[in-house]
Amino acid sequence: MVATSTLKTKSSDCFSELVDRRYDQACIEKELDFWDNCVAEPQRTADVTEDRTCQQLAKMFENCLSRAKKTTLHCSSVLVPEKLTQRIAREVLRLASCEPCGLRGCVLYVHLDLDKGCKRLERIVYDATLVPTFELTLVFKQDGTAWPSLRDFLFMGTCFAPTFRHIIKLSPGFRLVKKKLYSSSAGTIVEEC
């Protein structure tokens, strides 16, 4: 397909057809403006796509922690520093960018480094239709400076179940370990952030 300057993206015929179908004209113009900008600025389109992927990854990490709170960690809540999941998502995307299938070829193991040892929280496969080309191991770190809550001291020795009373506070730091699976230069990359 060849684009020419004679193409009018905002023609009145196009608008009238969409308005007849009960689409809001302001919404249509906004959508067309967005796609005009995407065509004019392909790098910006890539940035929008990357931002969207970054947000999806961050949400996946938040959901993982939420599920683990109930099943693996047995705590009442997990406190996550502001922007931690977004920082991790950006690092994961950066490490996946030089892989042949990108993020789609990733298997991500999520762990939490606790005082008592490291607990495996979840295994995330971004695209199950592909054979993984690399593994990432994400290790959240518990904030060691967190004081136990007064409520924990008050509940000691009471009839409340001890498994769901404590709060886990995460540190702003994390560790990512990358392991290439199918490469002659297979190696391990450890990044502390």
Side-chain angles (χ1 to χ4, degrees):
M1 183 180 344
V2 177
T4 65
S5 62
T6 59
L7 179 65
K8 294 181 182 176
T9 58
K10 298 180 184 178
S11 70
S12 59
D13 296 338
C14 178
F15 274 141
S16 62
E17 181 181 330
L18 292 172
V19 170
D20 288 343
R21 292 184 183 175
R22 303 201 189 281
Y23 289 103
D24 181 35
Q25 187 166 352
C27 181
I28 296 167
E29 286 180 5
K30 193 173 175 183
E31 191 69 22
L32 289 173
D33 286 342
F34 171 79
W35 289 110
D36 285 345
N37 288 334
C38 287
V39 171
E41 300 176 44
Q43 179 57 38
R44 184 168 180 233
T45 305
D47 292 343
V48 168
T49 303
E50 187 174 323
D51 286 346
R52 198 171 290 149
T53 305
C54 190
Q55 289 171 359
Q56 289 172 342
L57 262 177
K59 190 67 175 166
M60 286 173 73
F61 296 139
E62 291 165 8
N63 290 339
C64 170
L65 290 169
S66 179
R67 285 188 297 273
K69 172 180 73 170
K70 300 169 190 161
T71 59
T72 311
L73 301 174
H74 304 292
C75 63
S76 58
S77 62
V78 176
L79 301 177
V80 181
E82 187 178 3
K83 307 282 185 192
L84 176 64
T85 55
Q86 289 90 350
R87 281 184 31 235
I88 294 170
R90 277 195 304 274
E91 283 298 310
V92 167
L93 286 175
R94 187 182 64 75
L95 289 172
S97 66
C98 60
E99 292 297 320
C101 297
L103 186 61
R104 295 176 52 225
C106 178
V107 174
L108 186 68
Y109 295 97
V110 182
H111 297 268
L112 175 60
D113 193 5
L114 296 168
D115 298 331
K116 303 167 197 157
C118 203
K119 273 199 175 189
R120 182 175 170 181
L121 303 182
E122 199 166 305
R123 177 180 183 263
I124 299 172
V125 179
Y126 199 79
D127 187 350
T129 63
L130 287 177
V131 175
T133 58
F134 71 106
E135 292 177 349
L136 285 176
T137 302
L138 166 63
V139 182
F140 286 105
K141 297 178 181 180
Q142 184 178 12
D143 189 355
T145 62
W147 284 79
S149 71
L150 180 60
R151 185 176 61 214
D152 286 345
F153 288 117
L154 295 175
F155 285 145
M156 284 185 179
T158 64
C159 62
F160 294 106
T163 56
F164 279 101
R165 70 169 182 244
H166 69 282
I167 295 171
I168 294 177
K169 182 179 178 188
L170 298 182
S171 163
F174 60 92
R175 184 173 56 243
L176 267 174
V177 180
K178 179 180 178 179
K179 180 181 174 187
K180 293 187 176 208
L181 298 177
Y182 301 104
S183 173
S184 60
S185 63
T188 302
I189 300 170
V190 179
E191 293 208 5
E192 291 277 339
C193 299

